[in-house]
Amino acid sequence: MSDGVPVNGASGPAAPAELRDLFVEMNDLKRVRSAGRVGSIAERLFAQGWSALTGGASAEDVALDITATALAATRLCDLDAAFLASAGLSEEAVSGVLVDGFDSVTSNLDPGLRETLRGRLSRRVAHRPGPVPGFVTALARQPRAGVTCPGRARILLEPPENHAEHCLLVAVYGVVLSPFYRADPATVFLAAMAHHFHNAAMPDAGFTGEMLLGDHLGPIMARTTQWALDEFDGPLRETVERARAVLPDDATAEGRAFHAADCVDRVLQIAQHLQAASLTMQTVLGDMELVHAGPVKGFHDRVLVDMRIP
C-alpha cells in the first residue's frame, strides 16, 4: 500500500473531473440485463471476479481483467466475448470488437492504465473458475437502503440496486481512479469488492438503522463480516483482510481511491433516477434520434405528426 497523494498535490483537485462522463455511463452496468442471463452485467462481473480469485488468479490480474471487461461493456453491453464467439467470430475478431468498445469510452483514462487494460482485451487470458462464495449470491439478493437520514423517513427509489452491483462498480471505478491517487489498483479493487461483506447477512437499513443500533453496530458488523471471510482458505483470506485494512479512512492512497469511488457510485445511483424523471422528448427525439435516419424515416415522421405524438 502507498501513502501517495493526487498527482496535482494536496491542494489540487480531490478527483479527476475528466472521468465524470465515463463514470455516469458506466453506472448503467447495474441496470443492463439480457435474455438467458441472470442479473445485471455488474452483478455477473462481481460473481466472475470472486470465482477467478477463489480459482487462484491474482488480485492484480482479476482487477485488470474485470475492469477492462466492464469498460468494453459500457457501450457493448452483453455483446461480450462469450456471445461473440458463440455467434461464430474468430478469437481475433472477438478481441477486435472488445477493443473497439473499450476505445469508444476510454479517451480520458490515464494513458499507462489505458494501455494496460487495452492489452487485457487484445490478449485475453481465461482464468480457472473457482467456487463462487455464498456471500456473492447473498449480496446480489440484498437490496441497498436508498436515501436515509436519522430522524427522517427513508427515500426509496425503485428498482433498488443490490450490494453486489454497488461493490463491483466501486471496484472498477477505484481501478480507473488509482493512477490519480498513485494507489495500487489491485488493493483498491479487492477492498471495494469486499467492503460490504457484512451485508451478506445484515439487512441494509442505511445510516438511520446503523445509528439506531448504537453500540451494537460494531460487534454486529464484525461478526457478519467474519462469516464472509470464513468462506475463504488461508492465503486468499489473508489477502482480502490486508486489502480491507484501507477501508476505515483516507490516510492512504488506496483509501482515497476507494472512498472517492464509493462516494461517486452512491451519488450517481440516485442521479440516474433524477435524470430519468427529467427526461424530455426533445432529448429522446432530437438529441438521441429515437426515430433515426433510414429508408422509412420520412414516413415515420409523418406518422408521428398526423397522430400528434408526442
Side-chain angles (χ1 to χ4, degrees), residues 5 14 37 39 51 53 56 62 65 85 90 107 115 121 125 142 150 167 186 190 192 195 210 221 245 299:
V5 296
R37 307 191 188 201
S51 176
L53 288 164
V62 176
D65 287 344
S90 67
S107 60
E115 190 61 28
L121 296 174
V125 176
Q142 190 76 273
C167 289
L190 198 54
H195 81 285
E210 292 175 356
M221 288 184 64
F299 177 68

Side-chain angles (χ1 to χ4, degrees), residues 109-118 179:
L109 257 63
D110 171 82
L113 178 63
R114 185 177 189 272
E115 190 61 28
T116 297
L117 293 174
R118 197 174 190 273

Side-chain angles (χ1 to χ4, degrees), residues 170-193:
V170 174
V172 296
Y173 285 170
V175 172
V176 172
L177 287 166
S178 290
F180 181 83
Y181 298 101
R182 298 175 184 168
D184 173 54
T187 299
V188 178
F189 179 87
L190 198 54
M193 290 281 279

